PDB file of all heavy atoms in Angstrom:
ATOM      1  N   TRP A   1      -9.770  74.977  92.380  1.00 98.00           N
ATOM      2  CA  TRP A   1     -10.491  74.943  93.650  1.00 98.00           C
ATOM      3  C   TRP A   1     -11.195  73.597  93.768  1.00 98.00           C
ATOM      4  O   TRP A   1     -11.507  72.960  92.771  1.00 98.00           O
ATOM      5  CB  TRP A   1     -11.490  76.091  93.761  1.00 98.00           C
ATOM      6  CG  TRP A   1     -12.689  75.987  92.840  1.00 98.00           C
ATOM      7  CD1 TRP A   1     -12.705  76.167  91.485  1.00 98.00           C
ATOM      8  CD2 TRP A   1     -14.036  75.672  93.206  1.00 98.00           C
ATOM      9  NE1 TRP A   1     -13.968  75.997  90.985  1.00 98.00           N
ATOM     10  CE2 TRP A   1     -14.821  75.694  92.027  1.00 98.00           C
ATOM     11  CE3 TRP A   1     -14.670  75.382  94.419  1.00 98.00           C
ATOM     12  CZ2 TRP A   1     -16.191  75.422  92.020  1.00 98.00           C
ATOM     13  CZ3 TRP A   1     -16.033  75.116  94.412  1.00 98.00           C
ATOM     14  CH2 TRP A   1     -16.777  75.147  93.216  1.00 98.00           C
ATOM     15  N   SER A   2     -11.423  73.163  95.006  1.00 98.00           N
ATOM     16  CA  SER A   2     -12.121  71.897  95.204  1.00 98.00           C
ATOM     17  C   SER A   2     -12.604  71.797  96.645  1.00 98.00           C
ATOM     18  O   SER A   2     -12.333  72.673  97.477  1.00 98.00           O
ATOM     19  CB  SER A   2     -11.233  70.708  94.846  1.00 98.00           C
ATOM     20  OG  SER A   2     -12.013  69.533  94.671  1.00 98.00           O
ATOM     21  N   PHE A   3     -13.306  70.694  96.903  1.00 96.00           N
ATOM     22  CA  PHE A   3     -13.936  70.426  98.192  1.00 96.00           C
ATOM     23  C   PHE A   3     -13.062  69.460  98.979  1.00 96.00           C
ATOM     24  O   PHE A   3     -12.707  68.387  98.487  1.00 96.00           O
ATOM     25  CB  PHE A   3     -15.325  69.827  97.919  1.00 96.00           C
ATOM     26  CG  PHE A   3     -16.087  69.375  99.128  1.00 96.00           C
ATOM     27  CD1 PHE A   3     -16.358  70.252 100.162  1.00 96.00           C
ATOM     28  CD2 PHE A   3     -16.552  68.066  99.221  1.00 96.00           C
ATOM     29  CE1 PHE A   3     -17.076  69.833 101.273  1.00 96.00           C
ATOM     30  CE2 PHE A   3     -17.282  67.638 100.323  1.00 96.00           C
ATOM     31  CZ  PHE A   3     -17.545  68.531 101.350  1.00 96.00           C
ATOM     32  N   HIS A   4     -12.705  69.840 100.201  1.00 96.00           N
ATOM     33  CA  HIS A   4     -11.817  69.009 101.010  1.00 96.00           C
ATOM     34  C   HIS A   4     -12.394  67.623 101.286  1.00 96.00           C
ATOM     35  O   HIS A   4     -11.656  66.637 101.383  1.00 96.00           O
ATOM     36  CB  HIS A   4     -11.531  69.700 102.351  1.00 96.00           C
ATOM     37  CG  HIS A   4     -10.657  70.898 102.234  1.00 96.00           C
ATOM     38  ND1 HIS A   4     -11.090  72.175 102.531  1.00 96.00           N
ATOM     39  CD2 HIS A   4      -9.374  71.030 101.845  1.00 96.00           C
ATOM     40  CE1 HIS A   4     -10.104  73.032 102.342  1.00 96.00           C
ATOM     41  NE2 HIS A   4      -9.048  72.370 101.919  1.00 96.00           N
ATOM     42  N   GLY A   5     -13.716  67.548 101.427  1.00 93.00           N
ATOM     43  CA  GLY A   5     -14.353  66.287 101.782  1.00 93.00           C
ATOM     44  C   GLY A   5     -14.197  65.201 100.745  1.00 93.00           C
ATOM     45  O   GLY A   5     -14.437  64.016 101.033  1.00 93.00           O
ATOM     46  N   TYR A   6     -13.778  65.558  99.523  1.00 93.00           N
ATOM     47  CA  TYR A   6     -13.568  64.554  98.487  1.00 93.00           C
ATOM     48  C   TYR A   6     -12.309  63.723  98.746  1.00 93.00           C
ATOM     49  O   TYR A   6     -12.139  62.656  98.161  1.00 93.00           O
ATOM     50  CB  TYR A   6     -13.458  65.214  97.115  1.00 93.00           C
ATOM     51  CG  TYR A   6     -14.753  65.791  96.575  1.00 93.00           C
ATOM     52  CD1 TYR A   6     -14.751  66.956  95.815  1.00 93.00           C
ATOM     53  CD2 TYR A   6     -15.977  65.170  96.805  1.00 93.00           C
ATOM     54  CE1 TYR A   6     -15.934  67.491  95.306  1.00 93.00           C
ATOM     55  CE2 TYR A   6     -17.155  65.697  96.299  1.00 93.00           C
ATOM     56  CZ  TYR A   6     -17.127  66.861  95.564  1.00 93.00           C
ATOM     57  OH  TYR A   6     -18.296  67.381  95.061  1.00 93.00           O
ATOM     58  N   ILE A   7     -11.394  64.236  99.593  1.00 94.00           N
ATOM     59  CA  ILE A   7     -10.160  63.498  99.895  1.00 94.00           C
ATOM     60  C   ILE A   7      -9.967  63.460 101.412  1.00 94.00           C
ATOM     61  O   ILE A   7      -9.102  64.145 101.973  1.00 94.00           O
ATOM     62  CB  ILE A   7      -8.931  64.137  99.209  1.00 94.00           C
ATOM     63  CG1 ILE A   7      -9.215  64.438  97.735  1.00 94.00           C
ATOM     64  CG2 ILE A   7      -7.719  63.209  99.320  1.00 94.00           C
ATOM     65  CD1 ILE A   7      -8.061  65.029  96.986  1.00 94.00           C
ATOM     66  N   PRO A   8     -10.775  62.659 102.116  1.00 90.00           N
ATOM     67  CA  PRO A   8     -10.768  62.660 103.584  1.00 90.00           C
ATOM     68  C   PRO A   8      -9.457  62.187 104.216  1.00 90.00           C
ATOM     69  O   PRO A   8      -9.102  62.630 105.301  1.00 90.00           O
ATOM     70  CB  PRO A   8     -11.924  61.712 103.933  1.00 90.00           C
ATOM     71  CG  PRO A   8     -12.087  60.838 102.729  1.00 90.00           C
ATOM     72  CD  PRO A   8     -11.765  61.721 101.557  1.00 90.00           C
ATOM     73  N   GLY A   9      -8.723  61.319 103.562  1.00 91.00           N
ATOM     74  CA  GLY A   9      -7.471  60.852 104.150  1.00 91.00           C
ATOM     75  C   GLY A   9      -6.406  61.930 104.211  1.00 91.00           C
ATOM     76  O   GLY A   9      -5.596  61.974 105.140  1.00 91.00           O
ATOM     77  N   ARG A  10      -6.405  62.799 103.234  1.00 95.00           N
ATOM     78  CA  ARG A  10      -5.415  63.868 103.194  1.00 95.00           C
ATOM     79  C   ARG A  10      -5.837  65.050 104.068  1.00 95.00           C
ATOM     80  O   ARG A  10      -5.024  65.615 104.797  1.00 95.00           O
ATOM     81  CB  ARG A  10      -5.225  64.349 101.750  1.00 95.00           C
ATOM     82  CG  ARG A  10      -4.278  65.530 101.615  1.00 95.00           C
ATOM     83  CD  ARG A  10      -4.041  65.898 100.169  1.00 95.00           C
ATOM     84  NE  ARG A  10      -3.132  67.023 100.045  1.00 95.00           N
ATOM     85  CZ  ARG A  10      -2.728  67.547  98.887  1.00 95.00           C
ATOM     86  NH1 ARG A  10      -3.163  67.028  97.750  1.00 95.00           N
ATOM     87  NH2 ARG A  10      -1.898  68.568  98.855  1.00 95.00           N
ATOM     88  N   PHE A  11      -7.105  65.409 103.987  1.00 97.00           N
ATOM     89  CA  PHE A  11      -7.594  66.582 104.711  1.00 97.00           C
ATOM     90  C   PHE A  11      -8.444  66.148 105.901  1.00 97.00           C
ATOM     91  O   PHE A  11      -9.574  65.700 105.743  1.00 97.00           O
ATOM     92  CB  PHE A  11      -8.403  67.488 103.778  1.00 97.00           C
ATOM     93  CG  PHE A  11      -7.609  67.993 102.608  1.00 97.00           C
ATOM     94  CD1 PHE A  11      -7.849  67.508 101.328  1.00 97.00           C
ATOM     95  CD2 PHE A  11      -6.604  68.934 102.780  1.00 97.00           C
ATOM     96  CE1 PHE A  11      -7.118  67.962 100.246  1.00 97.00           C
ATOM     97  CE2 PHE A  11      -5.858  69.387 101.705  1.00 97.00           C
ATOM     98  CZ  PHE A  11      -6.120  68.904 100.432  1.00 97.00           C
ATOM     99  N   LYS A  12      -7.873  66.272 107.077  1.00 97.00           N
ATOM    100  CA  LYS A  12      -8.578  65.922 108.311  1.00 97.00           C
ATOM    101  C   LYS A  12      -8.901  67.150 109.155  1.00 97.00           C
ATOM    102  O   LYS A  12      -9.999  67.257 109.704  1.00 97.00           O
ATOM    103  CB  LYS A  12      -7.737  64.939 109.133  1.00 97.00           C
ATOM    104  CG  LYS A  12      -7.577  63.565 108.498  1.00 97.00           C
ATOM    105  CD  LYS A  12      -6.848  62.617 109.446  1.00 97.00           C
ATOM    106  CE  LYS A  12      -6.759  61.213 108.849  1.00 97.00           C
ATOM    107  NZ  LYS A  12      -6.101  60.274 109.792  1.00 97.00           N
ATOM    108  N   LEU A  13      -7.952  68.055 109.270  1.00 98.00           N
ATOM    109  CA  LEU A  13      -8.169  69.236 110.107  1.00 98.00           C
ATOM    110  C   LEU A  13      -9.249  70.155 109.539  1.00 98.00           C
ATOM    111  O   LEU A  13      -9.938  70.847 110.282  1.00 98.00           O
ATOM    112  CB  LEU A  13      -6.856  70.010 110.272  1.00 98.00           C
ATOM    113  CG  LEU A  13      -5.801  69.308 111.133  1.00 98.00           C
ATOM    114  CD1 LEU A  13      -4.463  70.013 111.025  1.00 98.00           C
ATOM    115  CD2 LEU A  13      -6.248  69.259 112.599  1.00 98.00           C
ATOM    116  N   THR A  14      -9.403  70.144 108.221  1.00 97.00           N
ATOM    117  CA  THR A  14     -10.398  71.016 107.594  1.00 97.00           C
ATOM    118  C   THR A  14     -11.828  70.628 107.963  1.00 97.00           C
ATOM    119  O   THR A  14     -12.751  71.428 107.795  1.00 97.00           O
ATOM    120  CB  THR A  14     -10.249  70.990 106.059  1.00 97.00           C
ATOM    121  OG1 THR A  14     -10.355  69.641 105.597  1.00 97.00           O
ATOM    122  CG2 THR A  14      -8.910  71.568 105.631  1.00 97.00           C
ATOM    123  N   VAL A  15     -12.012  69.416 108.492  1.00 97.00           N
ATOM    124  CA  VAL A  15     -13.339  68.991 108.959  1.00 97.00           C
ATOM    125  C   VAL A  15     -13.839  69.917 110.072  1.00 97.00           C
ATOM    126  O   VAL A  15     -15.042  70.090 110.258  1.00 97.00           O
ATOM    127  CB  VAL A  15     -13.284  67.526 109.444  1.00 97.00           C
ATOM    128  CG1 VAL A  15     -14.572  67.109 110.139  1.00 97.00           C
ATOM    129  CG2 VAL A  15     -12.998  66.598 108.265  1.00 97.00           C
ATOM    130  N   MET A  16     -12.914  70.534 110.798  1.00 97.00           N
ATOM    131  CA  MET A  16     -13.263  71.485 111.863  1.00 97.00           C
ATOM    132  C   MET A  16     -14.324  72.478 111.415  1.00 97.00           C
ATOM    133  O   MET A  16     -15.288  72.761 112.135  1.00 97.00           O
ATOM    134  CB  MET A  16     -12.012  72.252 112.303  1.00 97.00           C
ATOM    135  CG  MET A  16     -12.269  73.389 113.277  1.00 97.00           C
ATOM    136  SD  MET A  16     -10.938  74.619 113.290  1.00 97.00           S
ATOM    137  CE  MET A  16     -11.279  75.469 111.725  1.00 97.00           C
ATOM    138  N   ALA A  17     -14.143  73.023 110.198  1.00 97.00           N
ATOM    139  CA  ALA A  17     -15.025  74.080 109.716  1.00 97.00           C
ATOM    140  C   ALA A  17     -16.401  73.561 109.324  1.00 97.00           C
ATOM    141  O   ALA A  17     -17.345  74.345 109.174  1.00 97.00           O
ATOM    142  CB  ALA A  17     -14.378  74.795 108.527  1.00 97.00           C
ATOM    143  N   GLU A  18     -16.536  72.248 109.143  1.00 97.00           N
ATOM    144  CA  GLU A  18     -17.795  71.663 108.691  1.00 97.00           C
ATOM    145  C   GLU A  18     -18.677  71.170 109.826  1.00 97.00           C
ATOM    146  O   GLU A  18     -19.843  70.822 109.598  1.00 97.00           O
ATOM    147  CB  GLU A  18     -17.515  70.489 107.748  1.00 97.00           C
ATOM    148  CG  GLU A  18     -16.788  70.870 106.487  1.00 97.00           C
ATOM    149  CD  GLU A  18     -16.831  69.764 105.431  1.00 97.00           C
ATOM    150  OE1 GLU A  18     -17.335  68.664 105.741  1.00 97.00           O
ATOM    151  OE2 GLU A  18     -16.391  70.007 104.313  1.00 97.00           O
ATOM    152  N   LEU A  19     -18.160  71.104 111.038  1.00 97.00           N
ATOM    153  CA  LEU A  19     -18.902  70.493 112.134  1.00 97.00           C
ATOM    154  C   LEU A  19     -20.255  71.175 112.341  1.00 97.00           C
ATOM    155  O   LEU A  19     -20.382  72.382 112.144  1.00 97.00           O
ATOM    156  CB  LEU A  19     -18.068  70.527 113.412  1.00 97.00           C
ATOM    157  CG  LEU A  19     -16.822  69.633 113.366  1.00 97.00           C
ATOM    158  CD1 LEU A  19     -15.942  69.866 114.583  1.00 97.00           C
ATOM    159  CD2 LEU A  19     -17.222  68.151 113.276  1.00 97.00           C
ATOM    160  N   PRO A  20     -21.271  70.408 112.716  1.00 96.00           N
ATOM    161  CA  PRO A  20     -22.647  70.929 112.781  1.00 96.00           C
ATOM    162  C   PRO A  20     -22.859  72.058 113.786  1.00 96.00           C
ATOM    163  O   PRO A  20     -22.070  72.260 114.718  1.00 96.00           O
ATOM    164  CB  PRO A  20     -23.448  69.692 113.207  1.00 96.00           C
ATOM    165  CG  PRO A  20     -22.621  68.526 112.816  1.00 96.00           C
ATOM    166  CD  PRO A  20     -21.209  68.974 112.990  1.00 96.00           C
ATOM    167  N   LEU A  21     -23.984  72.779 113.543  1.00 96.00           N
ATOM    168  CA  LEU A  21     -24.526  73.763 114.476  1.00 96.00           C
ATOM    169  C   LEU A  21     -23.590  74.940 114.727  1.00 96.00           C
ATOM    170  O   LEU A  21     -23.522  75.457 115.846  1.00 96.00           O
ATOM    171  CB  LEU A  21     -24.895  73.075 115.805  1.00 96.00           C
ATOM    172  CG  LEU A  21     -25.766  71.816 115.687  1.00 96.00           C
ATOM    173  CD1 LEU A  21     -25.986  71.185 117.048  1.00 96.00           C
ATOM    174  CD2 LEU A  21     -27.092  72.146 115.025  1.00 96.00           C
ATOM    175  N   LEU A  22     -22.895  75.398 113.686  1.00 97.00           N
ATOM    176  CA  LEU A  22     -21.982  76.535 113.843  1.00 97.00           C
ATOM    177  C   LEU A  22     -22.743  77.817 114.167  1.00 97.00           C
ATOM    178  O   LEU A  22     -22.264  78.664 114.919  1.00 97.00           O
ATOM    179  CB  LEU A  22     -21.157  76.723 112.556  1.00 97.00           C
ATOM    180  CG  LEU A  22     -20.189  77.895 112.563  1.00 97.00           C
ATOM    181  CD1 LEU A  22     -19.141  77.729 113.663  1.00 97.00           C
ATOM    182  CD2 LEU A  22     -19.502  78.039 111.199  1.00 97.00           C
ATOM    183  N   GLY A  23     -23.907  77.998 113.565  1.00 95.00           N
ATOM    184  CA  GLY A  23     -24.677  79.206 113.823  1.00 95.00           C
ATOM    185  C   GLY A  23     -24.143  80.423 113.104  1.00 95.00           C
ATOM    186  O   GLY A  23     -24.256  81.559 113.597  1.00 95.00           O
ATOM    187  N   ALA A  24     -23.549  80.221 111.938  1.00 97.00           N
ATOM    188  CA  ALA A  24     -23.019  81.328 111.132  1.00 97.00           C
ATOM    189  C   ALA A  24     -23.199  80.991 109.665  1.00 97.00           C
ATOM    190  O   ALA A  24     -23.231  79.821 109.277  1.00 97.00           O
ATOM    191  CB  ALA A  24     -21.546  81.570 111.444  1.00 97.00           C
ATOM    192  N   GLY A  25     -23.310  82.038 108.853  1.00 96.00           N
ATOM    193  CA  GLY A  25     -23.447  81.854 107.420  1.00 96.00           C
ATOM    194  C   GLY A  25     -22.101  81.735 106.738  1.00 96.00           C
ATOM    195  O   GLY A  25     -21.041  81.766 107.380  1.00 96.00           O
ATOM    196  N   ALA A  26     -22.132  81.638 105.409  1.00 97.00           N
ATOM    197  CA  ALA A  26     -20.920  81.379 104.643  1.00 97.00           C
ATOM    198  C   ALA A  26     -19.885  82.493 104.767  1.00 97.00           C
ATOM    199  O   ALA A  26     -18.689  82.229 104.869  1.00 97.00           O
ATOM    200  CB  ALA A  26     -21.284  81.175 103.172  1.00 97.00           C
ATOM    201  N   GLN A  27     -20.319  83.751 104.758  1.00 98.00           N
ATOM    202  CA  GLN A  27     -19.344  84.843 104.794  1.00 98.00           C
ATOM    203  C   GLN A  27     -18.617  84.910 106.131  1.00 98.00           C
ATOM    204  O   GLN A  27     -17.381  84.958 106.179  1.00 98.00           O
ATOM    205  CB  GLN A  27     -20.030  86.185 104.515  1.00 98.00           C
ATOM    206  CG  GLN A  27     -19.056  87.365 104.539  1.00 98.00           C
ATOM    207  CD  GLN A  27     -19.698  88.685 104.142  1.00 98.00           C
ATOM    208  OE1 GLN A  27     -20.715  88.709 103.458  1.00 98.00           O
ATOM    209  NE2 GLN A  27     -19.111  89.780 104.559  1.00 98.00           N
ATOM    210  N   ALA A  28     -19.361  84.920 107.225  1.00 98.00           N
ATOM    211  CA  ALA A  28     -18.734  84.989 108.548  1.00 98.00           C
ATOM    212  C   ALA A  28     -17.846  83.773 108.785  1.00 98.00           C
ATOM    213  O   ALA A  28     -16.727  83.894 109.304  1.00 98.00           O
ATOM    214  CB  ALA A  28     -19.816  85.070 109.626  1.00 98.00           C
ATOM    215  N   ALA A  29     -18.330  82.604 108.383  1.00 98.00           N
ATOM    216  CA  ALA A  29     -17.559  81.373 108.586  1.00 98.00           C
ATOM    217  C   ALA A  29     -16.272  81.383 107.769  1.00 98.00           C
ATOM    218  O   ALA A  29     -15.224  80.937 108.239  1.00 98.00           O
ATOM    219  CB  ALA A  29     -18.409  80.163 108.222  1.00 98.00           C
ATOM    220  N   SER A  30     -16.329  81.893 106.542  1.00 98.00           N
ATOM    221  CA  SER A  30     -15.146  81.892 105.670  1.00 98.00           C
ATOM    222  C   SER A  30     -14.058  82.812 106.208  1.00 98.00           C
ATOM    223  O   SER A  30     -12.871  82.473 106.179  1.00 98.00           O
ATOM    224  CB  SER A  30     -15.555  82.319 104.254  1.00 98.00           C
ATOM    225  OG  SER A  30     -16.456  81.386 103.691  1.00 98.00           O
ATOM    226  N   THR A  31     -14.452  83.982 106.692  1.00 98.00           N
ATOM    227  CA  THR A  31     -13.475  84.909 107.277  1.00 98.00           C
ATOM    228  C   THR A  31     -12.817  84.274 108.491  1.00 98.00           C
ATOM    229  O   THR A  31     -11.585  84.300 108.642  1.00 98.00           O
ATOM    230  CB  THR A  31     -14.150  86.233 107.671  1.00 98.00           C
ATOM    231  OG1 THR A  31     -14.848  86.776 106.552  1.00 98.00           O
ATOM    232  CG2 THR A  31     -13.127  87.250 108.159  1.00 98.00           C
ATOM    233  N   ALA A  32     -13.640  83.700 109.371  1.00 98.00           N
ATOM    234  CA  ALA A  32     -13.123  83.055 110.579  1.00 98.00           C
ATOM    235  C   ALA A  32     -12.244  81.860 110.233  1.00 98.00           C
ATOM    236  O   ALA A  32     -11.244  81.586 110.909  1.00 98.00           O
ATOM    237  CB  ALA A  32     -14.290  82.620 111.456  1.00 98.00           C
ATOM    238  N   TYR A  33     -12.611  81.161 109.172  1.00 98.00           N
ATOM    239  CA  TYR A  33     -11.877  79.959 108.755  1.00 98.00           C
ATOM    240  C   TYR A  33     -10.433  80.308 108.389  1.00 98.00           C
ATOM    241  O   TYR A  33      -9.487  79.651 108.836  1.00 98.00           O
ATOM    242  CB  TYR A  33     -12.606  79.331 107.569  1.00 98.00           C
ATOM    243  CG  TYR A  33     -12.167  77.947 107.164  1.00 98.00           C
ATOM    244  CD1 TYR A  33     -11.334  77.169 107.947  1.00 98.00           C
ATOM    245  CD2 TYR A  33     -12.636  77.387 105.970  1.00 98.00           C
ATOM    246  CE1 TYR A  33     -10.963  75.885 107.565  1.00 98.00           C
ATOM    247  CE2 TYR A  33     -12.272  76.106 105.572  1.00 98.00           C
ATOM    248  CZ  TYR A  33     -11.438  75.369 106.367  1.00 98.00           C
ATOM    249  OH  TYR A  33     -11.071  74.108 105.989  1.00 98.00           O
ATOM    250  N   TRP A  34     -10.268  81.337 107.571  1.00 98.00           N
ATOM    251  CA  TRP A  34      -8.910  81.713 107.159  1.00 98.00           C
ATOM    252  C   TRP A  34      -8.071  82.111 108.373  1.00 98.00           C
ATOM    253  O   TRP A  34      -6.917  81.697 108.512  1.00 98.00           O
ATOM    254  CB  TRP A  34      -8.937  82.854 106.143  1.00 98.00           C
ATOM    255  CG  TRP A  34      -7.549  83.225 105.708  1.00 98.00           C
ATOM    256  CD1 TRP A  34      -6.749  84.212 106.219  1.00 98.00           C
ATOM    257  CD2 TRP A  34      -6.765  82.564 104.704  1.00 98.00           C
ATOM    258  NE1 TRP A  34      -5.521  84.211 105.596  1.00 98.00           N
ATOM    259  CE2 TRP A  34      -5.508  83.208 104.668  1.00 98.00           C
ATOM    260  CE3 TRP A  34      -7.018  81.502 103.831  1.00 98.00           C
ATOM    261  CZ2 TRP A  34      -4.502  82.818 103.783  1.00 98.00           C
ATOM    262  CZ3 TRP A  34      -6.007  81.110 102.962  1.00 98.00           C
ATOM    263  CH2 TRP A  34      -4.766  81.767 102.943  1.00 98.00           C
ATOM    264  N   GLU A  35      -8.649  82.900 109.250  1.00 98.00           N
ATOM    265  CA  GLU A  35      -7.907  83.359 110.434  1.00 98.00           C
ATOM    266  C   GLU A  35      -7.511  82.174 111.323  1.00 98.00           C
ATOM    267  O   GLU A  35      -6.368  82.097 111.795  1.00 98.00           O
ATOM    268  CB  GLU A  35      -8.763  84.339 111.232  1.00 98.00           C
ATOM    269  CG  GLU A  35      -9.010  85.670 110.531  1.00 98.00           C
ATOM    270  CD  GLU A  35      -9.900  86.598 111.317  1.00 98.00           C
ATOM    271  OE1 GLU A  35     -10.635  86.116 112.211  1.00 98.00           O
ATOM    272  OE2 GLU A  35      -9.897  87.806 111.043  1.00 98.00           O
ATOM    273  N   THR A  36      -8.441  81.266 111.555  1.00 98.00           N
ATOM    274  CA  THR A  36      -8.171  80.115 112.416  1.00 98.00           C
ATOM    275  C   THR A  36      -7.165  79.172 111.774  1.00 98.00           C
ATOM    276  O   THR A  36      -6.296  78.608 112.447  1.00 98.00           O
ATOM    277  CB  THR A  36      -9.475  79.357 112.722  1.00 98.00           C
ATOM    278  OG1 THR A  36     -10.467  80.279 113.176  1.00 98.00           O
ATOM    279  CG2 THR A  36      -9.254  78.299 113.779  1.00 98.00           C
ATOM    280  N   TYR A  37      -7.275  79.021 110.458  1.00 98.00           N
ATOM    281  CA  TYR A  37      -6.329  78.168 109.744  1.00 98.00           C
ATOM    282  C   TYR A  37      -4.903  78.697 109.902  1.00 98.00           C
ATOM    283  O   TYR A  37      -3.984  77.933 110.236  1.00 98.00           O
ATOM    284  CB  TYR A  37      -6.697  78.095 108.264  1.00 98.00           C
ATOM    285  CG  TYR A  37      -5.756  77.216 107.467  1.00 98.00           C
ATOM    286  CD1 TYR A  37      -5.970  75.844 107.374  1.00 98.00           C
ATOM    287  CD2 TYR A  37      -4.633  77.747 106.835  1.00 98.00           C
ATOM    288  CE1 TYR A  37      -5.099  75.024 106.674  1.00 98.00           C
ATOM    289  CE2 TYR A  37      -3.757  76.936 106.135  1.00 98.00           C
ATOM    290  CZ  TYR A  37      -3.993  75.583 106.059  1.00 98.00           C
ATOM    291  OH  TYR A  37      -3.117  74.787 105.369  1.00 98.00           O
ATOM    292  N   GLU A  38      -4.724  79.971 109.675  1.00 98.00           N
ATOM    293  CA  GLU A  38      -3.385  80.561 109.784  1.00 98.00           C
ATOM    294  C   GLU A  38      -2.816  80.411 111.195  1.00 98.00           C
ATOM    295  O   GLU A  38      -1.630  80.159 111.377  1.00 98.00           O
ATOM    296  CB  GLU A  38      -3.432  82.036 109.391  1.00 98.00           C
ATOM    297  CG  GLU A  38      -3.496  82.286 107.891  1.00 98.00           C
ATOM    298  CD  GLU A  38      -3.031  83.687 107.540  1.00 98.00           C
ATOM    299  OE1 GLU A  38      -3.546  84.644 108.150  1.00 98.00           O
ATOM    300  OE2 GLU A  38      -2.152  83.816 106.668  1.00 98.00           O
TER     301      GLU A  38
END
């Protein structure tokens, strides 16, 4: 496992999940993240 931000050139779309002011905690965001990614 690792953090996408350590390799910004390879991982660009994953920045979507990090953008400020989401208004959700880790659990809700993680569930939504997998669904949106797929």
Side-chain angles (χ1 to χ4, degrees):
W1 70 288
S2 197
F3 175 57
H4 289 115
Y6 289 145
I7 312 181
R10 176 176 180 179
F11 300 108
K12 292 186 177 182
L13 290 169
T14 56
V15 171
M16 173 201 75
E18 298 194 354
L19 293 172
L21 310 176
L22 178 62
Q27 180 175 337
S30 297
T31 306
Y33 192 12
W34 181 265
E35 292 178 340
T36 310
Y37 180 86
E38 283 201 308

